[in-house]
Amino acid sequence: MNIVVILIAYLLGSIPSGLIIGKLFYGKDIREHGSGNLGGTNTFRTLGIKAGLTVTIADILKGTLAASLPFLFDLEMHALLVGIFAVVGHMYPIFANFRGGKAVATSGGVLLFYAPLMFLIVLVIFFLCLYITKYVSLSSMLAAIAAIIYSLIVWDIWLIIVVAILAFFVIYRHRANFKRIMNKTEPKIKWMGSKQQKRL
């Protein structure tokens, strides 16, 4: 049963929310636009705010549902362990030729189930960094580092181990973005900032 649950978690993570929303409601394959990524950020850029929010929320809930599987099936497996497989599914989805997202939203969904306070704190840090830098990728990486610091403060061994793994996924998947930030070629968001910035 443990193997079945792990498989279900992977398949949940593999549901390509961005691909589904793009093709069903916009007639677009977002892998052919923007960064080519299936995550929420590229959906925002390619399809707009409504689609981006829908995909981001769906990707978060994939992680939350996957982490809840041991509870739903009354198993002794750790929620965070099962959640990792959903994140792997999100990054390498079997339903989308193993071309998925960058692990941020689904990782957040896993944490939402296991440590909701941590999720809220990291979410605030993400948006604070986003407001200051205007870089989604950099804000995601900084939020991942903040999650590691939080897990060390509360000293939950499982949380420390899994958050370190998830943070590695997030940072590794954003390595190209980091290079573009250093080269000042990474696109900034335009919907958050001062009125003067919006006019520009």
Side-chain angles (χ1 to χ4, degrees):
M1 195 61 197
N2 290 352
I3 295 174
V4 171
V5 165
I6 287 172
L7 179 60
I8 293 172
Y10 171 78
L11 293 176
L12 281 172
S14 289
I15 297 172
S17 309
L19 185 62
I20 293 170
I21 295 297
K23 285 196 170 183
L24 280 183
F25 298 101
Y26 297 86
K28 288 185 178 180
D29 184 338
I30 66 170
R31 294 173 299 180
E32 299 173 357
H33 301 271
S35 65
N37 189 267
L38 274 182
T41 301
N42 195 40
T43 307
F44 272 106
R45 290 173 181 161
T46 305
L47 304 178
I49 293 177
K50 288 183 180 179
L53 281 174
T54 302
V55 169
T56 300
I57 292 171
D59 288 345
I60 289 172
L61 293 179
K62 290 191 303 187
T64 305
L65 180 57
S68 70
L69 289 175
F71 172 77
L72 295 175
F73 285 93
D74 194 25
L75 299 176
E76 293 184 0
M77 297 180 71
H78 201 286
L80 291 175
L81 177 62
V82 177
I84 288 177
F85 289 92
V87 176
V88 172
H90 176 70
M91 294 188 296
Y92 306 104
I94 193 172
F95 302 128
N97 297 321
F98 303 100
R99 291 174 55 196
K102 295 189 175 179
V104 179
T106 306
S107 295
V110 173
L111 297 178
L112 175 59
F113 177 80
Y114 184 76
L117 178 60
M118 177 186 189
F119 172 82
L120 291 174
I121 292 172
V122 171
L123 188 65
V124 169
I125 292 171
F126 170 83
F127 278 108
L128 180 61
C129 294
L130 187 61
Y131 181 80
I132 295 170
T133 69
K134 305 299 184 294
Y135 290 123
V136 175
S137 53
L138 180 59
S139 301
S140 299
M141 290 185 279
L142 292 174
I145 293 170
I148 294 175
I149 294 171
Y150 180 96
S151 65
L152 290 170
I153 291 173
V154 299
W155 200 254
D156 180 325
I157 299 300
W158 267 105
L159 192 62
I160 292 170
I161 294 171
V162 173
V163 165
I165 293 171
L166 296 179
F168 170 78
F169 287 160
V170 170
I171 294 171
Y172 177 77
R173 297 282 287 181
H174 283 91
R175 63 195 185 281
N177 301 83
F178 184 75
K179 290 181 181 178
R180 289 195 293 269
I181 291 171
M182 298 301 293
N183 295 330
K184 297 183 179 180
T185 57
E186 176 79 348
K188 294 185 177 183
I189 62 167
K190 299 178 180 179
W191 52 269
M192 180 184 287
S194 66
K195 292 182 179 179
Q196 184 177 0
Q197 287 174 316
K198 289 178 180 178
R199 290 195 196 100
L200 294 174

